[in-house]
Amino acid sequence: MSLYAELAQRLREHIELGFYKAGDRLPSVRQLAKEHGVSISTIQEAYRLLEMDCLIEARPKSGYFVPEAKQQSGVPNISRPPQRPLDVSQWEEVLNLLSNRTENAVCQLQHAMPEMREATLKPLIKSLQELTKQRPYDGMTYGDIRGDYSLREQLVRLAAASGCSLHPDDIIVTSGCQEALSVCLRAVAKSGDIIAVESPSFYGSMQAIKAAELKAMEIPTHPTEGMSLEALRMALDQWPIKAILVTPTVNNPMGYIMPEPRKRALYELAREYDVAIIEDDIYGDLAYEFPRPKSVKSFDEDGRVLLCSSVSKTLAPGFRVGWIAPGRYRDTVTHIKYVSSSMCPILPQIAVANFIRHGGYDKHLRRMRALYQNGRDRLLADIRQYFPVDTLISYPQGGFVLWVELGHQYDAVKLAQVAASHGIYVASGQMFSATGKYRHCMRLNFNDRTAEIRRNSIRLLGQLLQSDAALALAS
Amino acid sequence: MSLYAELAQRLREHIELGFYKAGDRLPSVRQLAKEHGVSISTIQEAYRLLEMDCLIEARPKSGYFVPEAKQQSGVPNISRPPQRPLDVSQWEEVLNLLSNRTENAVCQLQHAMPEMREATLKPLIKSLQELTKQRPYDGMTYGDIRGDYSLREQLVRLAAASGCSLHPDDIIVTSGCQEALSVCLRAVAKSGDIIAVESPSFYGSMQAIKAAELKAMEIPTHPTEGMSLEALRMALDQWPIKAILVTPTVNNPMGYIMPEPRKRALYELAREYDVAIIEDDIYGDLAYEFPRPKSVKSFDEDGRVLLCSSVSKTLAPGFRVGWIAPGRYRDTVTHIKYVSSSMCPILPQIAVANFIRHGGYDKHLRRMRALYQNGRDRLLADIRQYFPVDTLISYPQGGFVLWVELGHQYDAVKLAQVAASHGIYVASGQMFSATGKYRHCMRLNFNDRTAEIRRNSIRLLGQLLQSDAALALAS
Ligand SMILES: Cc1ncc(COP(=O)(O)O)c(C=O)c1O
Ligand SMILES: Cc1ncc(COP(=O)(O)O)c(C=O)c1O
């Protein structure tokens, strides 16, 4: 468990045991930080977590208090997907999301696009412009089949920050993380095989499971701790699962970070049952805590973890620069990557390599972490203010999306349709399930447009949910 | 049959029936052109074809004659692959070819890279530079899932030139033709299915068959007419073939153009047996004849033809701009393309669209056709001069590669190794078969470096084949 979560756990016990009673003021952040010898921000995170669970509340200029009556707006409960392998559906819905014509858009909360206008990204743009001008012929040939070596060297550096010790030859460059995931699924499983996934899960990996003729086994997932290892063990006992596909560090859509001991336990479990782990780390470097959490791959001793990532969330998706650290599956992964799209364009790879080498990447991420964390806090406050009291919200530890669970009477698919007619777009929850569960949920980003526009959009969504129209949204 | 092939056929009959006897002079090109009301170049092509078959010979400044004794150096015979579906092997060999370190390279005859230094390509390079400078943010976002609309509009124009009438929404942009082929294979066939292919065939499509867990059924293929429809019908009768994968217009590796009536007959056969056709048209626009030959897709009435192509051979591979016209498979193809690598980078698509729209593409191809045809004639002459007399050579009708069949006693795999130590690289034939046939064959391009360097390289290869070292090359 990370430090702040541990502290929150201790405080939670204190409250539940009655050390602090309803109406009591909690120690100040500064005081507690001193007491525990930790940073102010660690305490702030612990308090925020308790706030999310409605165990404490902040009162402007007075500090944190145990509320008088237990409020609503906690984090969602552990998910309860059907406990059997299933074919993935929902393609129509995903296609619809992807092809949205949004000329009338007021606020596009449905996508997961990073902020790309920050000054810290400029050196990368400049570098690509210069390369395009100065080395056009390098941009026109087939490059190295495993990806540009200078990039792979820099990716080794990034991997080291998450606790992995890799060599450039342990990495294969791909056209984004989507290709990485698709290639890895095909490398570890054959038609008909079963893949264990978090529930909810990113729709792109689900659809890749479908296209590879595999079945998805959704595992109950906890909104702060990640995939339930107990449920996973039961599934492994019961079904011939081939691989576990997880996004444990800054999950999409929920934003949690699986605590480090659980990551290690996940690896041990995979080892015990001799299955592969495909780890999607695309948001990993966007964890608000620094240094970033370790990846599951960092515990890998026998090459069974295939780490997938890209710069699509940290820098920009249009570069299509992704990669795989395929462990013992390297040969198969190389083969499938080659047939999948042959080589990747060289110049974006070199530009990204330069950006990392010269420190631009670290600097940019420092900026983005702060920006996104601020966006999270504002959106959380907006949702709490405007949405029905029984709304549950995930508490992202990184990245720029969160997961909203409405009361079961609501239909977020209908809400999305009505909201779209007002120019406000949300990603309704059913796409994040193999079988169309989570119709009462949605994923929202907290970085499209400005905080003010987002606030107004949330207010409008809230009005729709609370007004007469809500009847139409009840399924 | 195309006009020149028909003419050649008639002349062949005349020679074989004895109208022209050994030592006779044939009518002049000009005379025959007038007689048949066709262009000079059509007659020249017909004569070249007969020359390849050693039925006539050119004598400098005197014209064409029926030779005294039958010479060697004709085109290869129809291929005779094993007549059953097989798993594709040869990946190690392909990987080796792709990852060749060629620092010592004198001449790289092994690749199939277009000439990219011609002035006619400059406007495209310029346009990409400008776009990168002026619209960096368009280059950084996820684009349209089916590809940029402006590009798809222009691709409709290109398709029209090969006789297809398409709408932009009938086209899906891919990361090169390799992704197009992979996606189409997965769209039309499921694990274990059988795909009929030409023999020899491009190794990239063979490896895609392997990766999709499909089996390849190699069909006997004629070096000037393409896949034998008679053999194909027998295979269709005998095996549950799911799709036919062909490169009928400027084949890789042989360079033939399947005559138009046979293309139509191929389509009719696919219809009769209700199987799909995946048509790889990547070299189609590089046919030396103008206007270019029709595609099989142009005969498609019920959407069973999936046309695949890219600008990798016509312009440059590094742009990774390819596409599919998937016919009735559009929905499945969209799904598999999305999971395969999600969207393609936008700016190269726009640059290529502009290049086509403003006439740069047509102008460039005009230049390249002439250049490559000249390269072909020179390389053919070099091989005839320096290689053993029993060498057979394909007679490309477009593009920049040809196929050499050595006497069966030779091992081109060994030759490739020995030649590599001299800095001369060739692609040995076994990669173009599912099962490692064609070890006595090789594919050579006729555009790497200069004609002089190629000539010297061919001389060296010839020396290796004819010297004592040849013993070592005999298997
Ligand atoms: C969790 C996750 N994995 C993979 C992807 C695909 O990433 P890329 O755009 O690099 O292909 C995304 C993008 O939305 C994602 O959220
Ligand atoms: C016949 C054929 N098809 C497909 C391809 C792959 O093309 P691309 O580089 O556009 O992926 C090639 C490239 O060598 C080829 O020769």
Side-chain angles (χ1 to χ4, degrees), chain A residues 158 161-162 249 263 279 281 284-285 287 289-295:
Chain A
L158 294 194
S162 71
T249 311
K263 282 181 178 160
E279 178 178 21
D281 193 49
D285 286 357
E289 68 185 81
F290 184 83
R292 62 152 286 174
K294 282 190 174 178
S295 59

Side-chain angles (χ1 to χ4, degrees), chain B residues 280-326:
Chain B
D280 184 344
D281 193 49
I282 190 170
Y283 287 96
D285 286 357
L286 286 175
Y288 305 143
E289 67 183 81
F290 185 82
R292 61 152 286 173
K294 283 191 173 179
S295 59
V296 176
K297 178 80 183 166
S298 71
F299 302 110
D300 189 12
E301 281 168 21
D302 58 359
R304 70 176 62 247
V305 183
L306 302 94
L307 184 83
C308 299
S309 194
S310 80
V311 300
S312 298
K313 307 303 171 180
T314 47
L315 307 179
F319 297 123
R320 306 310 298 134
V321 171
W323 61 91
I324 305 171

Side-chain angles (χ1 to χ4, degrees), chain A residues 116 140 182 207 318 335 339, chain B residues 137 140 182 207 318 320 335 339:
Chain A
M116 296 179 291
M140 284 159 70
S182 262
Q207 296 302 324
H335 183 245
V339 304
Chain B
Y137 293 102
M140 285 159 70
S182 261
Q207 295 302 324
R320 306 310 298 134
H335 183 244
V339 305

Side-chain angles (χ1 to χ4, degrees), chain B residues 52 76 109-112 200 250-256 283 288 372-373 375-384 387 391-405 426-427 432 441-447 458:
Chain B
M52 286 299 303
L109 300 168
Q110 83 278 32
H111 291 315
V250 187
N251 176 263
N252 175 5
M254 296 218 271
Y256 58 76
Y283 287 96
Y288 305 143
Y372 294 146
Q373 189 164 10
R376 174 196 68 178
D377 291 339
R378 299 181 79 153
L379 195 75
L380 282 175
D382 295 340
I383 298 174
R384 284 211 203 90
F387 273 34
T391 303
L392 304 173
I393 322 169
S394 77
Y395 188 59
Q397 296 304 308
F400 42 78
V401 297
L402 54 71
W403 182 249
V404 174
E405 190 173 322
V426 303
F432 299 83
C441 304
M442 56 191 166
R443 188 193 69 182
L444 306 176
N445 72 51
F446 34 88
N447 68 332
I458 293 295

Side-chain angles (χ1 to χ4, degrees), chain B residues 135-211:
Chain B
R135 300 171 58 177
Y137 293 102
D138 289 332
M140 285 159 70
T141 60
Y142 289 115
D144 186 319
I145 182 179
R146 298 210 165 97
D148 187 74
Y149 196 84
S150 76
L151 174 63
R152 290 189 278 133
E153 275 178 333
Q154 296 307 312
L155 295 178
V156 163
R157 271 186 51 184
L158 294 195
S162 71
C164 297
S165 158
L166 298 175
H167 181 273
D169 287 344
D170 298 328
I171 292 176
I172 291 165
V173 175
T174 59
S175 296
C177 190
Q178 184 62 43
E179 182 172 61
L181 293 169
S182 261
V183 165
C184 289
L185 282 168
R186 295 174 67 192
V188 302
K190 296 231 165 297
S191 176
D193 282 346
I194 304 167
I195 310 295
V197 298
E198 293 143 339
S199 183
S201 254
F202 168 55
Y203 47 79
S205 19
M206 297 275 226
Q207 295 302 324
I209 288 174
K210 175 185 169 72

Side-chain angles (χ1 to χ4, degrees), chain A residues 144 147-154 167-169 349, chain B residues 101:
Chain A
D144 186 319
D148 187 74
Y149 197 83
S150 76
L151 173 63
R152 290 189 278 133
E153 274 179 333
Q154 295 308 312
H167 183 273
D169 288 344
Q349 295 183 59
Chain B
R101 309 223 149 261

